[in-house]
Amino acid sequence: MLLYLDQNYASRMAKHLLGQRGHEAFGRLFLALRGKALAPPSPFHVLETLHPVRGPKEKAGYLLPALEEVFSTLSDGYWVRPWEEIAKRQERGLYREDFLWRGGSWEDPADLSPFQGFLEGLPPLPEKALEAWVQEEIRRRTGLKEVPFVRLLARLVAQSRKDPRRKPRPSDLLDFVMAATVHPYVDLLLTDRYLKNLLQERVVGGRKKEVEALALRLGGE
């Protein structure tokens, strides 16, 4: 089983390994995943570990040794390729050999510079029209064709504007690019409730009961 642990899942497993309280369910899931699933790190983890975009700010990099332990146990030495490479390779189809490689490093963070100011400049359009506009803007900024990455990122961005009561967050862009990169390839994406609601399929949220249910399921396989 190929899984992706978003930064919340991975960091809470790391905090459990460091002996911090309140993350026991994630510790049980970590134990259940060993030998049952492949969960590689990605340049997104590097970016969020060394350059946190969520608040309150934590000391950048303090979790790195524990995160390395989490992923050395679960990744079998694999990494997720940079999003640019994955999206470009989608022109020939979706293949996991285009998703996984052994060339990653904890010194190489994801580069989101092509999307600088992206979410702040969205026009006030209906959802479908906005999705089409976003697709064109992604293609203009990246030079990509209409590959699955572009379509999914556009859908996530458009859907995120459906609820006017929710204020955009600094981490939204990273979350959307991450999900558009990994979701087409993995059996399960382990993430927060917000992305779970947007994606709906092949995703597990971060509530304690969901984490414990997944750990119990994997422990019985």
Side-chain angles (χ1 to χ4, degrees):
M1 179 183 290
L2 179 59
L3 304 181
Y4 186 84
L5 312 174
D6 81 347
Q7 185 71 2
N8 177 60
Y9 264 86
S11 63
R12 294 192 69 178
M13 289 180 183
K15 290 174 182 178
H16 176 76
L17 294 181
L18 290 174
Q20 297 184 22
R21 300 181 65 179
H23 311 290
E24 292 80 10
F26 291 85
R28 289 191 289 273
L29 178 59
F30 173 66
L31 294 177
L33 289 175
R34 293 191 305 183
K36 298 286 183 67
L38 181 70
S42 79
F44 300 112
H45 292 117
V46 183
L47 179 62
E48 292 211 74
T49 301
L50 301 182
H51 307 282
V53 296
R54 304 173 196 275
K57 297 283 188 180
E58 295 176 328
K59 184 178 178 181
Y62 95 97
L63 278 179
L64 182 56
L67 283 171
E68 288 179 321
E69 181 179 348
V70 168
F71 285 114
S72 67
T73 301
L74 301 179
S75 70
D76 193 28
Y78 284 104
W79 277 76
V80 174
R81 291 181 186 270
W83 68 265
E84 306 96 311
E85 295 185 24
I86 292 172
K88 180 64 176 176
R89 288 166 181 253
Q90 288 179 353
E91 292 178 8
R92 70 186 187 98
L94 293 175
Y95 302 97
R96 281 185 173 173
E97 59 263 34
D98 294 335
F99 178 67
L100 297 174
W101 71 329
R102 296 186 183 273
S105 166
W106 286 101
E107 297 180 354
D108 297 323
D111 178 13
L112 300 184
S113 61
F115 301 105
Q116 185 175 4
F118 183 51
L119 296 184
E120 292 76 17
L122 298 177
L125 297 172
E127 182 181 350
K128 287 300 182 181
L130 178 60
E131 184 174 340
W133 184 94
V134 171
Q135 277 202 37
E136 289 302 315
E137 181 67 7
I138 295 169
R139 294 172 63 184
R140 185 186 70 81
R141 287 171 175 252
T142 63
L144 292 168
K145 296 181 180 179
E146 192 180 332
V147 293
F149 169 85
V150 172
R151 292 194 294 269
L152 181 52
L153 180 53
R155 178 165 66 85
L156 291 172
V157 171
Q159 288 182 336
S160 74
R161 292 300 189 265
K162 289 173 65 175
D163 185 357
R165 297 169 298 177
R166 182 186 182 273
K167 294 182 179 180
R169 300 173 183 175
S171 59
D172 282 350
L173 176 63
L174 188 149
D175 286 341
F176 296 160
V177 176
M178 175 275 291
T181 301
V182 307
H183 190 256
Y185 297 92
V186 297
D187 297 304
L188 283 178
L189 168 57
L190 279 52
T191 186
D192 60 25
R193 179 174 58 179
Y194 182 59
L195 267 183
K196 175 189 173 183
N197 290 338
L198 291 180
L199 290 165
Q200 297 187 347
E201 297 179 349
R202 305 195 326 277
V203 61
V204 177
R207 290 181 172 180
K208 181 180 178 181
K209 63 180 182 180
E210 295 176 274
V211 177
E212 291 179 335
L214 181 58
L216 184 63
R217 168 186 159 189
L218 291 170
E221 291 182 354

